[in-house]
Amino acid sequence: MKTITKPLALTAAIALSLSAPALAAPAVGGDAFTVLRLDQAPTYLDAKLVAEQLQALDVDALTIGNVIRPADSMESAQAPDPLAALADDLGYTYRFVSADPAAAEQRGSIVLSRLPVEAESGVEAPGLNYLRLNDGRHVVALYTRAAEADGAAVKMLVDSSRLGAPAVLLGTDADIATAAGFAAIGKGAGYSAGFDAATTKPVKLRLDADASIAGQLLTLGYNAPVGGDTPWMDTGLGADARARLLVARMTVDEKFQMLHSYFGLGKDGGPLPEGAVGSAGFVPGVPRLGIPSQQSADAGVGVTNPGGIRKGDHATAMPSGPSTASSWNPQIAFTGGATMGREAWQQRFNILLAGSVNLQRDPRNGRNFEYAGEDPVLAGRLVGESIRGVQSQHVISTMKHFALNDMETSRNFHSAEIGEQAMRESDLLAFEIALDEGKPGSVMCSYNRINGTYGCEHDYLMNQVLKQEWKFPGFVMSDWGGVHSGSKAALAGLDQQSAGEVFDKAVYFDAPLRLAVAGGTVPQARLDDMVARILRTMFAHGNFDLPPQHVPIDDEAGFAAAQRTVEEGSVLLRNAGDVLPLGKEVQRIVIIGGHADKGVIGGGGSSMVGWTARGTNAVPGVLPTTWPGPVIFHPSSPLEALRAERPDATIEYVDGRDVAAAARAAAAADVAIVFATQWSAESVDLPHMKLPDNQDTLIAGVAKANPKTVVVLETNGPVELPWLQQVPAILQAWYPGIRGGEAIAALLTGKVNPSGRLPVTWPVDASQLPRPHVNGLGFNPKQKPDDTIDYNIEGANVGYKWFAAKGLTPQFAFGHGLSYTQFQYDNLTYTAMGQRLVATVDVRNTGKVAGADVPQLYLKMPEGSTTPIRLIGFQKVTLQPGESRRIRIEAEPKAMASFDTRDKQWKIAEGRYELQLSRSANEPLQSSPMVLSGGVVK
């Protein structure tokens, strides 16, 4: 985001009609917020002319209500809004807000903001828009409403998001404005306390030499600063301004207190730090200045309670990251993040160590279950939505692990080797998209080295890319055990050391850093910057104004969020002969293996949610029972859930330890369902892609005994399937969390139609990977781990791009997933304006049951490109039988571009491309040749 700083264009200013008297007095001075409301959306404009007028009026935001986007047709594809192109040119934020984003004809409102956006609403609030804007001094909550959004929804959004900031509500009537706490101004607008004056004047905005559009200019004057002894508590000020005021009052000791956390569980089994509630990290507050403590909880898949240290606390064990990613549904990701954020806030935490966005470069990575797959567009968008969900609950979310922490083997020491362009177009692009979508308050640097330099000492990553180029305003915290220096790390961009007294060789950000600052090695300005970044993040996310409370969590809401994630994120990989769903004719069912009588497996390490509303581990004693274990089975029995769904059927359970006994039980059943599990964990990678514990033999034996065998996989990621052709149906359920049993039963019986699509390519075996053999994998490996991992082998060609570049055929392609119904795509059209490309297509449900599909938009690159194909957009759509809908897919511009390492810009190359609408990465159903003129992506 940027503010126009060119001199005022006098001729443009004169051309504006600003003659009507103000509706409110007194007149507003220069310290004000201005909104230009246009009566209708332009179909064409002269960007330079309009920009000059916006500058002359000093417009902070431009809005248009009651915008109608008609349904697209073959004759006329929906062109991007010219205001969107204007926003791109100016560096403004652009939003179109619709009450029904999936409708063919969309009605809503448009918002452009020149001020940086601190936070915003999205998929969770159809018909509404919330932008928290920060000009460096003031912060304003700007709300816009599409005509269809009701007053109750407006009030709910305002109550949950405003945090006391001055607020403006547009596109409403007086009753709704009053109910939401606003004073009406003009027609369809309201403003809150925090503004002491408001004026409105008519404006005619010239679009070109011949045309103009009428509008209203709202000017809202801010209240005078609160002042007094604690001016930083003025909620009308922006987070940066409040932080500056507070830093100026702090002593040196108070500043250094902010720069390192303590292990929130105590050192070496000792007592908790005074004031800590019991979790990963704790920074004491400063009562003298009203600074609250920082309480950090591990939360890759839910709020943890290690060892049950917080008596009575429990949380929702959410499904794993690939389950969320397989939904291809941003709303699922947001709801999951909001669930974790809400439960963290209710357990006294104001920081959640969430937002895991490392790409899956190898299915053996033990921590893939925390991540969101192999593609930067999919992973970045969904993790960004999860982060935004967390922070919607006034809890800071991290984004981690920055960067290239894509394998756990020797993670504290190995160096990820990769070229700059490849890094920018793969892992860093995922982080960049997640940052733009989610706006995390903190970024966690990684353990590993990147091209020889530790992640928490990496000037290029933390200073040059994150803070300077991406303009990240928050703070960088270390991973637990990731700090190796004081002054070097601080100068490279690290702002806070995490639990150094336990996990690092020294608390480098205490005495060593004090000496460096006193001696001038680290400038005083850098020290103040570190503290200010932490405080501004705490201000921005409500840590001061809405501190967390210890109250019971909403178990049922958590269960619902977890179950819906599994239902949308489980992938039906195979369904030969329509064995699934289980019809009423299936009366004898045997469930085999996987401890399915007790629960569903989860991943190990710091993210394990061991205490839930249903209790703790359903199958204690499975090895390993110590770090990174214990192996956990969440108490959600697929057996009991299937019995509840099918009380008319006889359903038995066999543990599968005896293959012959399992085969006999299978032979006597109408359908046999084998549950296969694969445990993985933080800090250790899997030694191979095979199912452990002789499960392949079990599946083969059962399939031989019963040709109607279904396999339900609960795994970290792709595994070898040597029995694939003998098993007609396979459901990939990942690690499904606390309602996994219920969700799996709903999917198997057809109560819910599977709609998950793979977020990763499923190799046949490890021979298809860029690195078929990696030294040091697994527990007690025979070979010593390598000091480096050479990611230059595949570079930016991660997953499906590697398979396309090498001409390999996977077991299942990225984006693959089956349904109990069928879908047809027709009439693909596209249009491009500037850096924006929009495709539209008709999607029809041609089957007999309702279902959801995920049309995927790929760009086949010009001949000779290093990367042959890229996912550039997607849209999930739910349709009733026979229903057809024309959907709109907007491409991610940077996925269409290449990163120029010389001038640090994303550039779309001029040339011939092919646009592909696909059901998976290697299954294009509609295609269209296209020529792109090239240009820089802003």
Side-chain angles (χ1 to χ4, degrees), residues 663-722:
R664 287 193 297 272
D670 296 330
V671 171
I673 306 175
V674 182
F675 281 76
T677 63
Q678 173 206 52
W679 183 74
S680 72
E682 178 184 356
S683 80
V684 62
D685 290 320
L686 295 162
H688 47 65
M689 284 182 58
K690 301 177 186 296
L691 287 171
D693 303 324
N694 206 36
Q695 292 179 96
D696 285 329
T697 302
L698 170 66
I699 295 169
V702 170
K704 184 177 181 180
N706 189 330
K708 291 189 175 182
T709 292
V710 177
V711 173
V712 177
L713 295 171
E714 298 171 20
T715 65
N716 175 61
V719 294
E720 293 181 24
L721 307 174

Side-chain angles (χ1 to χ4, degrees), residues 22-29 31-34 166-168 183-185 190-200 218-224:
L23 294 181
V28 177
D31 194 15
F33 178 72
T34 57
V168 182
I185 174 176
Y191 69 100
S192 75
F195 293 117
D196 63 6
T199 66
T200 179
L218 305 182
T219 305
L220 301 144
Y222 294 107
N223 286 343

Side-chain angles (χ1 to χ4, degrees), residues 101-103 327-329 568 755 757 821 823-825 841-845 850-855 874-880 883-889:
S327 75
W328 291 62
N329 187 341
E568 287 209 29
S755 63
R757 304 292 183 263
T821 189
F823 299 93
Q824 178 178 312
Y825 301 163
V841 65
D842 295 323
V843 184
R844 178 181 296 275
N845 182 345
D853 197 21
V854 186
F874 59 91
Q875 180 69 53
K876 192 165 194 174
V877 58
T878 300
L879 299 172
Q880 296 299 313
E883 182 183 4
S884 179
R885 188 176 301 172
R886 190 159 187 84
I887 66 166
R888 184 176 189 271
I889 305 174

Side-chain angles (χ1 to χ4, degrees), residues 53-361:
Q53 295 171 86
L54 295 179
Q55 176 196 355
L57 289 170
D58 197 25
V59 171
D60 293 314
L62 184 152
T63 69
I64 308 169
N66 298 317
V67 177
I68 299 176
R69 284 182 169 173
D72 299 319
S73 66
M74 276 296 293
E75 291 74 28
S76 175
Q78 176 67 55
D81 192 310
L83 288 170
L86 175 67
D88 292 338
D89 289 342
L90 296 177
Y92 285 17
T93 296
Y94 169 90
R95 294 291 181 269
F96 175 74
V97 189
S98 173
D100 185 5
E105 179 178 274
Q106 296 184 24
R107 296 172 178 266
S109 58
I110 291 172
V111 183
L112 272 71
S113 171
R114 74 169 178 177
L115 301 183
V117 177
E118 256 184 15
E120 62 184 299
S121 61
V123 292
E124 80 287 0
L128 300 171
N129 188 71
Y130 159 61
L131 295 174
R132 188 177 176 88
L133 308 176
N134 188 343
D135 66 3
R137 175 168 173 75
H138 295 289
V139 64
V140 176
L142 177 65
Y143 300 89
T144 58
R145 169 181 173 266
E148 296 87 347
D150 62 44
V154 172
K155 187 176 188 308
M156 183 180 298
L157 179 62
V158 171
D159 289 346
S160 67
S161 60
R162 186 179 152 204
L163 287 176
V168 182
L169 174 62
L170 303 174
T172 186
D173 54 45
D175 290 342
I176 291 177
T178 301
F182 293 85
I185 174 176
K187 183 180 178 181
Y191 69 100
S192 75
F195 293 117
D196 63 6
T199 66
T200 179
K201 295 182 180 180
V203 171
K204 285 187 178 178
L205 186 71
R206 289 175 53 204
L207 301 177
D208 59 19
D210 302 316
S212 62
I213 287 181
Q216 295 282 321
L217 182 70
L218 305 182
T219 305
L220 301 144
Y222 294 107
N223 286 343
V226 171
D229 294 334
T230 57
W232 54 87
M233 296 306 294
D234 183 352
T235 58
L237 297 179
D240 299 279
R242 296 176 73 179
R244 286 193 295 268
L245 289 168
L246 183 49
V247 171
R249 296 285 187 91
M250 297 177 73
T251 66
V252 171
D253 287 343
E254 288 167 344
K255 291 177 182 179
F256 273 96
Q257 182 173 307
M258 302 293 293
L259 302 185
H260 60 91
S261 65
Y262 297 93
F263 189 38
L265 300 176
K267 183 177 182 179
D268 299 328
L272 273 60
E274 184 177 354
V277 300
S279 195
F282 169 71
V283 178
V286 183
R288 180 182 77 85
L289 299 173
I291 301 175
S293 60
Q294 298 166 54
Q295 307 273 4
S296 299
D298 274 311
V301 289
V303 182
T304 63
N305 184 10
I309 192 168
R310 302 189 311 278
K311 301 302 181 184
D313 274 0
H314 62 266
T316 301
M318 293 297 294
S320 62
S323 182
T324 298
S326 292
S327 75
W328 291 62
N329 187 341
Q331 189 170 19
I332 290 290
F334 176 88
T335 302
T339 299
M340 295 190 293
R342 181 179 65 250
E343 294 183 359
W345 192 90
Q346 292 168 337
Q347 295 181 57
R348 296 172 288 175
F349 294 105
N350 52 16
I351 300 176
L352 211 55
L353 308 179
S356 302
V357 74
N358 298 90
L359 293 186
Q360 177 172 313
R361 287 177 175 266

Side-chain angles (χ1 to χ4, degrees), residues 574-581 585 671 707-708 727-729 818 820:
R574 178 173 164 84
N575 194 24
D578 293 332
V579 170
L580 294 176
E585 73 281 0
V671 171
K708 291 189 175 182
V727 172
L818 303 178
Y820 296 149

Side-chain angles (χ1 to χ4, degrees), residues 373-394:
E374 69 190 27
D375 182 78
V377 172
L378 178 64
R381 187 173 179 198
L382 266 66
V383 175
E385 283 295 324
S386 177
I387 290 169
R388 202 173 60 78
V390 170
Q391 295 188 158
S392 73
Q393 305 301 307
H394 313 301

